[in-house]
Amino acid sequence: MAKKVVAYTPKGGGYAQKVVAETNFCVEIPESANADLFAALPNQGLTAYLLLTASTQIQHGESVLVQGASGGVGSLAVQIAKILGAGTVPGTASTNEKLEFIRGLGADDAIDYTQEGWTKRVLESTGGRGVDVLLESVGGEIFEQSFECLAPFGRYIIFGSTRGPGQPFAPRRLMQKSQTMTGFYLPVFLAKPELIREGVEFLVKATLEEKLRPSIARVLPLSQTAEGHRLLEDREIQGTILLDTNR
Ligand SMILES: NC(=O)c1ccc[n+]([C@@H]2O[C@H](COP(=O)([O-])OP(=O)(O)OC[C@H]3O[C@@H](n4cnc5c(N)ncnc54)[C@H](OP(=O)(O)O)[C@@H]3O)[C@@H](O)[C@H]2O)c1
């Protein structure tokens, strides 16, 4: 009998009505479940989960800054950090509407990183100490600025470059505050399939229990794929955008 599943398909293939998936990367969901809610989990959700549990292992009460927190990965990372027991979780975004959206996700502070001095706001929200974990996929000038609000022993995790790579960085700077910097790329985790399985199981369970609430901004028919990419490039989306391959 056919089963409804959430599947991680590492070689892509999501822009299709049918796709071959590994059994190990499929997690069953009830027939009555709203599939849209689960569609963001295998890529954006898995990225957010593994950033916080594999690239670093977040400890109870630690603070986490999520850069670009209104995006697909960011909006899930704010919520997952909280579910995993994080302390203060500030998020950044570029418009008032997006800042409001981040607060609604449960972020403790919503900070406009287009404003000069935004890093001071992050320091204030952590009692002047800075954040223990910093998730960053923006790059550009944000890369250099972010260091101003990373705590001693802080872990800086890079997983994207929406604004380009930023200035060259001298790794010996990390010595001054005993900090670490880590890179993340989801396909590399295929070498650790048990972590992928664990991640999809966690995400499905948290969503079924309504602890995690994926935010679906728009559902477009496959014929409007180009419009979907335009919306992402123009930063018009809060949460996740889906393509419905049956329309
Ligand atoms: N390493 C991996 O394995 C992995 C896996 C998944 C995703 N990623 C990367 O993670 C990043 C986030 O992915 P996503 O799916 O969450 O994307 P998304 O939904 O488009 O979110 C991107 C966020 O980045 C912010 N941003 C800042 N400068 C931007 C710019 N110049 N252009 C577009 N957005 C900009 C936007 O927020 P504001 O408008 O508020 O600034 C937006 O909310 C991307 O760079 C993606 O490539 C990496």
Side-chain angles (χ1 to χ4, degrees):
M1 203 181 85
K3 290 178 179 170
K4 204 170 192 175
V5 299
V6 173
Y8 172 61
T9 55
K11 292 185 180 157
Y15 289 21
Q17 288 171 317
K18 292 186 179 173
V19 63
V20 177
E22 271 189 48
T23 323
N24 189 33
F25 295 160
C26 294
V27 174
E28 195 175 345
I29 54 172
E31 190 51 43
S32 58
N34 173 4
D36 285 3
L37 267 189
F38 295 82
L41 301 182
N43 191 313
Q44 293 174 327
L46 201 50
T47 297
Y49 177 79
L50 291 173
L51 283 165
L52 291 162
T53 60
S55 291
T56 191
Q57 288 174 336
I58 183 151
Q59 303 297 308
H60 188 80
E62 283 190 319
S63 53
V64 181
L65 173 62
V66 181
Q67 299 280 31
S70 70
V73 176
S75 60
L76 291 161
V78 167
Q79 299 178 66
I80 293 169
K82 284 291 186 187
I83 294 170
L84 294 173
T88 306
V89 179
T92 55
S94 62
T95 67
N96 284 339
E97 204 185 351
K98 288 182 176 184
L99 294 171
E100 197 56 41
F101 171 71
I102 294 173
R103 284 187 202 100
L105 298 170
D108 295 289
D109 207 351
I111 298 162
D112 184 343
Y113 60 177
T114 67
Q115 299 295 315
E116 210 165 306
W118 67 267
T119 54
K120 288 198 183 74
R121 283 279 314 278
V122 179
L123 287 169
E124 279 163 25
S125 71
T126 53
R129 202 176 152 266
V131 288
D132 299 306
V133 173
L134 201 153
L135 305 183
E136 198 260 278
S137 63
V138 179
E141 70 284 6
I142 292 296
F143 174 70
E144 181 63 35
Q145 293 168 2
S146 294
F147 275 95
E148 294 167 18
C149 48
L150 187 67
F153 303 107
R155 289 101 75 199
Y156 191 120
I157 308 175
I158 302 170
F159 67 103
S161 308
T162 43
R163 290 195 205 163
Q167 293 297 310
F169 176 80
R172 278 182 167 67
R173 273 176 65 185
L174 296 168
M175 285 167 54
Q176 293 162 12
K177 291 187 182 172
S178 293
Q179 295 161 326
T180 54
M181 188 184 281
T182 306
F184 173 94
Y185 188 50
L186 183 56
V188 177
F189 281 82
L190 282 175
K192 299 187 175 188
E194 68 285 359
L195 296 185
I196 292 182
R197 172 79 199 180
E198 175 198 298
V200 181
E201 279 178 349
F202 170 93
L203 294 161
V204 166
K205 185 167 180 287
T207 306
L208 285 172
E209 290 173 353
E210 297 184 10
K211 290 179 185 158
L212 182 63
R213 295 171 192 270
S215 201
I216 308 305
R218 296 277 284 275
V219 183
L220 296 175
L222 197 57
S223 58
Q224 287 185 31
T225 301
E227 169 64 2
H229 283 270
R230 186 199 66 74
L231 288 165
L232 289 174
E233 282 173 31
D234 292 347
R235 299 158 78 173
E236 289 179 23
I237 292 296
Q238 296 168 21
T240 295
I241 188 165
L242 298 185
L243 294 176
D244 182 345
T245 54
N246 292 311
R247 282 204 280 150

